[in-house]
Structure formats: C-alpha cells, structure tokens
Amino acid sequence: MIVLSHVSKSYGDICALDDVTVSVSKGEFVFLVGPSGAGKSTMLQLLYREEVPTEGSVVVDNLNVTRMSRRHVPMLRRKVGVVFQDFKLLDSKTVYENVAFVLQVTGAPAPFIKRRVPQVLNLVGLSDKEKSYPEQLSGGEQQRVSMARAIANSPRIILADEPTGNLDRDSSWKIMRLLAEFNRRGATVLVATHDWPIVDAMQKRVVEIEQGKIVRDDAQGGYSGSVSSDRAIGR
Amino acid sequence: MLKGDIAEVFRLIGRSVAEGLKSIWAHGLMSLASVGTVTVSLLVLAVFLLVAANLSYVADVLESQVEIVAYCNPEFDRQWEGELLDKVESIPGVGEVLFVSREDALDRLREQFGSQADLLSAVEEDNPLRDSIEITVTDPDRIEEVAAGVSEIESIQDVAYPREVVQRLYSVTEALRAAGVALVFLLAAATFLLISNTIRLTIYARRDEIEIMRLVGASAAFIWGPLVVEGLFLGLIGAGLAGAVVSWGYADLINSLQLSLPFLPLLDTEPLMGNLIQLLGIIGAFLGLLSSWFSAQRYVRI
C-alpha cells in the first residue's frame, strides 16, 4: 500500500529524512514514534505530497507520488485522509458543515452528502453535535469531528500526525480506539505519536525514527525498544 | 458520464460565483478600494481616450477643410476657365474644385474687413488680386502630391497650402496617442497590483478553508474558481462605475460646450459612448481576471 525506498528529504542543510526504506501493507496499523524533529511529520507529509522527497521514491496505493504531476495530486489526496494535532476545523462552520465541506469540495452529489455526513458523525459518536460550532466542543470532540471529516471520503489510507497531542488521557484513548476501528474496517492507518502509554498498550507495529533514520521496526511492540522487552513496566 | 461532467462544471461555476461575490461583500473596504482604483484608472483612461478621439476628430475635420489654393498667371485668359478646371480635376486625389475670380476674391476680402472695408478703397481701382482655384483633396495625406500636380499646369503660377498646420496637427495627435498608450499601461499596472492584492487578502482570509480543500483533494479549479470570479467582478464593477461616470459627464460636457463654443467640432455621444463602455468593460474584466489568476497561481499551492 505504501512503499518508501531510499527516501531522503533535506531542507537546505537540515536533513529531515536520511535514506529511509519502509513499506506498509494494506490493512496494517503502524505507529511512527521518535523524538520531536526526528522526521515523523515529514514522512507523513511525503505520503500526501505536501512535501516531495529530495531523493528516493514514494509509492502510495500504486501511485508514484514522486513523479506525480500537480494535476494528479487531488486524486492522491482523495485516497488519503489526514488527521492533525490541531484539528484544522473551520470555526465558522458547524460540525455538520465541516464534514460536508470536504464532500462538497471533492464534488460529491448532494444526496450522497446528506446520507454520508450523519453516518460518519455517528461512527465517531457525535450525532448529537451536528449543529454545534467547533468552539463549543471539547478538544477530544473537535478531534473526533476532524476524524469524521478525514474518513468522509472513504479513504483507503488514514494518516494521523500527533492526533492526541493536545488531548487528555480519556479523549486520547477514544481517538486511538477510533483509529483502530477505521483500521478494522479496512483502512491502512499510520499514526505519528509521542503517546507512549497508548503505543505500549496497543501492541501494534512500531517504526521508530531518530535523526531521519529508521532505528527500529517491530511487527508488534511498544513505544521504546528497550522497554518493549518488559513492556509491563512502561517507561 | 458526459452529462454528469457538464452538471459538475455548472456546479463549479455556480459555487465560484456565489463564493466570489460573498468574498467581495466580506472584504467591504478592501473591495471598495480595488473597485475604486479600477474606476479611477479606467476613468482616466476614458478621459484620455475621449480627448484623443475628439482631437483626432478635430484634426480630421480641419484636415478635410484644408485646401490648396492655386494662383493663376496674371495673364490668364478666363475663356480657358473650363479647360483649366478639367485639367485640375483630372489630377488624382482632387476633390472639389472652385474657380475664384479676382473680383470674387476682392469681394471676400471686403467682407472680411467688414466695417473697415474702406481701407480697401486704395486697391479697388486696380485690383492686385489674381484669379485662383480652390481645390480640396479627397485624402489629406495626399495634399503634397496634389499640390505638386497642380503646380505643373501651365497657367498656374504658384500653389499655396497650409502644410505646417496639417503636420503639426498630425504630430500632436501622434504624441497624444503615444502618451495615451504609456498612461494606459501605467494605470493597468496599478490596477493589476490592487486587484491582485485584494485577492491575496481573500486567500489569506480563507487560508484555513483553502488548506483543507487542498488536503482533501479539491481540484485546482475548485480552489481558484471563487478567487478568479472575485477578481473578475471587481474589474467589472469598477468598469461599470467608470462607464456610468464618463457617459454622464461627457453628455453634460458636450451640452455645455456646444452652447458656448458652437463651432467646435465634437464627437456625438453615440456611438462613441457605447463603444467606450464596451471597451472599459473588456479592459476591466481582463485586468480582473489576469490579476486574480496571477494571485491564485502564486499564493495558492496545490
């Protein structure tokens, strides 16, 4: 589903990713961990072509992202749902409108939108907040709206960049459970996170990046390699 | 499939127009400033064009009134008058031809002197004037050629025509045209900057929305559509205002000028105004499209 081979990305003198090769199969759930500035965000950005690699190739769902012309970028992005730490909701629109917006701008027919929005809001447990504005919601609720928005187009891949970075424990768990639920329904999910208790508890595939290099790739592991052997202790 | 595509295009256009207009409204002051510059720029342009058009009209009128006067030999025998006129008329480029006898010429002079006509009493006994032919030309550009042809006729002693007046008028009209073109480019540049800046403001105000559109895979046309429509309408509104002001002002000016300077040749409001308003509309729309397209290309990454 996702193949990065020998990918490097540098911004001037700063090297964000250094010869990274990794692949993710269809239906996998992968945690991307590592210290801030290690290159996790850059890696996700390469997948929805917010960034283009300096070297190497990126293939997402059989599309060669590296050689893709600008005209085809929208097609790629419709296959990829992205969730951000800061939610990126439109404050002037209601919950319903925020979700409907992505369907409208990608040209979905109105009857479909009417059916689809309540569906995804129900999935994230916010059916009763349709008419609320983002600022009337808690952080966790806002992130769930942004997740409803990310899956509205039924993307095959979901990328989450620190989705729980601004949330309390309880809300964080809700978000992660939702991501796992999307994964169970068939989406390939990549989550960049610092949230070690959750990573430790979920025991999914963990790819650890440090200074732009992959230093660990456990098929089933915890947040930090050294602790993953006796993961019960945590860190 | 095709039907769906067409529906899609209409939806895209509809949404672009709705969003573009909403944005103009939302940016009250900035939109007003843009429309204002478009209006002022196009107004200056219009005034310039009107002055140029009228000057060139005046030049045309004067040019067409410019005539060659061919003076006959003092010994010219008037029984050959018809023959002489035939010769002159056979020269290519000659329009109308009028024979003015020396007596007629003296009468005209007397008329021009009016109350001081008695000054002419000294010359009345022995009229020093000569018979002459007044020749208009079909094309003012050929006046020299015609004059040369006329001067070759045997009974013609010399030929006079106001060469300098014509040439001066030409150079004034030319200079005016050149200045007009330069000014138009300058004003167009100013308008371009203001509209593209307004669009940039829209892009800034909608940056969150635009970012989400990009991230979820909205097409470039979908993102740029409203911006381009906004620019187009700013240009068109500005042009409309300029057109209204100018057509009202010109009609007024013509009326008062024709009262005080009735002999001044001025162009009528129609079809001049119709053409001018069309031109302003086209320029306004073009500038609006161009500058918003530029901003969209430049400030919205896909």
Side-chain angles (χ1 to χ4, degrees), chain A residues 60-152:
Chain A
V60 175
D61 197 17
N62 294 324
L63 292 173
N64 188 329
V65 178
T66 330
R67 277 195 244 126
M68 179 175 281
S69 77
R70 282 183 162 234
R71 239 160 31 83
H72 293 111
V73 172
M75 287 306 138
L76 166 73
R77 299 217 174 122
R78 290 177 196 192
K79 297 182 174 209
V80 181
V82 191
V83 178
F84 299 92
Q85 179 172 3
D86 59 355
F87 324 138
K88 295 194 194 294
L89 297 176
L90 300 172
D91 293 333
S92 59
K93 293 187 191 293
T94 63
V95 166
Y96 182 97
E97 288 164 348
N98 262 286
V99 177
F101 183 68
V102 306
L103 293 168
Q104 284 158 0
V105 302
T106 47
F112 174 76
I113 297 176
K114 264 195 180 147
R115 230 171 340 109
R116 181 68 179 161
V117 177
Q119 231 172 46
V120 292
L121 283 177
N122 182 44
L123 194 62
V124 300
L126 287 175
S127 293
D128 54 334
K129 303 280 187 186
E130 265 188 14
K131 294 196 173 70
S132 306
Y133 286 89
E135 58 177 20
Q136 298 168 325
L137 303 179
S138 72
E141 287 168 331
Q142 290 190 43
Q143 189 60 300
R144 272 145 66 200
V145 176
S146 97
M147 293 181 67
R149 186 180 63 186
I151 60 162

Side-chain angles (χ1 to χ4, degrees), chain A residues 9 11 41-42 44-52 65 73 76-77 84, chain B residues 211 214-215 301-302:
Chain A
K9 174 70 186 177
Y11 301 93
S41 293
T42 304
L44 293 183
Q45 284 169 347
L46 291 173
L47 299 180
Y48 57 97
R49 209 181 181 275
E50 184 71 358
E51 295 290 351
V52 184
V65 178
V73 172
L76 166 73
R77 299 217 174 122
F84 299 92
Chain B
E211 191 186 0
R214 290 178 49 226
L215 290 177
R301 217 155 57 102
I302 294 300

Side-chain angles (χ1 to χ4, degrees), chain B residues 15-35:
Chain B
R15 177 186 166 275
S16 295
V17 170
E19 295 285 315
L21 290 180
K22 220 193 285 173
S23 183
I24 289 179
W25 186 248
H27 294 153
L29 268 182
M30 193 63 203
S31 294
L32 211 65
S34 302
V35 167

Side-chain angles (χ1 to χ4, degrees), chain B residues 3-14:
Chain B
K3 214 173 167 188
D5 284 352
I6 292 171
E8 177 73 3
V9 168
F10 274 112
R11 216 144 51 92
L12 175 63
I13 293 173

Side-chain angles (χ1 to χ4, degrees), chain B residues 87-132:
Chain B
K87 267 189 201 165
V88 171
E89 272 170 349
S90 70
I91 294 171
V94 168
E96 279 167 40
V97 168
L98 176 72
F99 187 85
V100 182
S101 68
R102 41 202 295 252
E103 293 79 18
D104 290 344
L106 189 63
D107 283 344
R108 279 195 196 169
L109 208 56
R110 203 176 282 129
E111 247 168 65
Q112 278 172 18
F113 273 60
S115 58
Q116 293 161 308
D118 45 331
L119 284 174
L120 289 171
S121 59
V123 298
E124 265 177 30
E125 282 149 43
D126 183 19
N127 183 352
L129 302 174
R130 284 172 285 163
D131 295 331
S132 63

